[in-house]
Amino acid sequence: MRTLVAFPVLILVVILQSAVISRIRLLAGCADLMLVILAAWALKTDIDASWQWAFLGGILVSFVSRMPWFVVLGGYFGVVALAHLLRRRVWQAPVLAMFSVIFVGTMFMNLGAYVVLQFLSHPITLNDALGLIVLPSLLLNLLFALPVYAMIRDLAHWVYPVQEVE
């Protein structure tokens, strides 16, 4: 039942991403709100539905973007896997883990998109891709990290309330 919360939340995220966030540009890069949401959700220690969120988010983003579905799904699953890996390790600072997951996830997603675009004969040089798309997108994703982390933390406390111990 708690997993069903993903449907309205992620549909709202896709609508915000395509209507509002995609208009906020820095050079040629824009933020990936779904990536930031999935990173924050997967870093919560008491949540077990992050893989379902990654699948649903990847499918929804694949519908509204022109990127092939396997790039989006692979990137989001990579973000969730990295978040789970960091969550199990000694990372006691969740905000630092959030920044790390977003940094690596943004690089991973954009590298996958770059490789696929090279095969689809949309040539762009690596220097242009890094300077005009990847680094501005990374900066925007990191700017959205703290507010999104706070909202996801509150949503997680609402969906998964802490049990009173007597």
Side-chain angles (χ1 to χ4, degrees):
M1 185 67 169
R2 293 178 178 169
T3 308
L4 294 177
V5 171
F7 287 102
V9 170
L10 294 180
I11 288 171
L12 180 65
V13 167
V14 168
I15 291 170
L16 280 173
Q17 173 72 34
S18 62
V20 178
I21 302 297
S22 65
R23 305 295 187 256
I24 302 172
R25 292 200 168 271
L26 184 62
L27 297 177
C30 64
D32 188 354
L33 187 61
M34 185 66 75
L35 183 139
V36 177
I37 294 277
L38 291 175
W41 188 257
L43 282 171
K44 294 299 294 172
T45 58
D46 52 347
I47 295 174
D48 57 350
S50 56
W51 294 105
Q52 292 90 344
W53 280 56
F55 179 75
L56 182 61
I59 294 298
L60 289 172
V61 169
S62 295
F63 279 135
V64 298
S65 72
R66 294 181 62 189
M67 192 58 59
W69 62 271
F70 55 88
V71 174
V72 177
L73 275 177
Y76 290 159
F77 279 136
V79 166
V80 170
L82 180 63
H84 280 277
L85 181 72
L86 289 179
R87 189 174 74 182
R88 272 190 266 139
R89 301 288 177 197
V90 275
W91 287 72
Q92 297 299 321
V95 175
L96 183 60
M98 175 82 172
F99 286 141
S100 301
V101 169
I102 289 174
F103 181 83
V104 173
T106 301
M107 293 298 192
F108 184 68
M109 284 283 293
N110 286 318
L111 177 66
Y114 175 76
V115 168
V116 167
L117 289 176
Q118 291 300 316
F119 283 124
L120 294 176
S121 70
H122 296 290
I124 184 171
T125 65
L126 185 60
N127 289 336
D128 287 343
L130 285 174
L132 296 175
I133 299 169
V134 176
L135 293 178
S137 297
L138 177 63
L139 179 63
L140 289 172
N141 284 346
L142 291 174
L143 286 175
F144 281 114
L146 288 177
V148 165
Y149 184 77
M151 286 188 292
I152 290 297
R153 186 186 63 217
D154 290 344
L155 177 68
H157 287 304
W158 178 68
V159 174
Y160 294 93
V162 177
Q163 299 294 328
E164 297 279 333
V165 178
E166 295 181 24

